[in-house]
């Protein structure tokens, strides 16, 4: 009787450990995917910011242009 309970508890704990390992792997993969998405978005944001700043600086008249007119 006691031996059977120990075997059942051992199998149950083994299944729980495997489930935890699977869950940790899944969470790790999910966090890495999120990180990659954020890095891609930030890179795109930086490129757009640089392009916008360069366009604004080329469209804004300089002080010399304002004085000459």
């Amino acid at each position: 009787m006691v031996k059977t309970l120990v075997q059942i508890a051992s199998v149950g704990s083994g299944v729980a450990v495997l489930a935890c390992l699977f869950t940790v792997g899944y969470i790790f993969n999910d966090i890495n995917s999120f990180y990659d998405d954020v890095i891609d978005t930030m890179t795109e944001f930086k490129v757009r910011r640089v392009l916008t700043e360069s366009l604004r600086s080329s469209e804004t008249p300089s002080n010399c242009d304002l004085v000459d007119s």
Side-chain angles (χ1 to χ4, degrees), residues 5-52:
L5 289 176
V6 170
Q7 288 175 344
I8 291 172
S10 296
V11 170
S13 66
V15 169
V17 167
L18 289 176
C20 287
L21 289 175
F22 175 76
T23 302
V24 165
Y26 180 78
I27 291 172
F28 183 78
N29 186 32
D30 196 31
I31 290 172
N32 278 336
S33 296
F34 177 71
Y35 176 79
D36 290 339
D37 290 344
V38 168
I39 293 299
D40 289 343
T41 302
M42 291 304 295
T43 302
E44 182 179 328
F45 175 75
K46 287 178 184 178
V47 168
R48 285 185 180 180
R49 182 179 56 98
V50 168
L51 289 175
T52 302

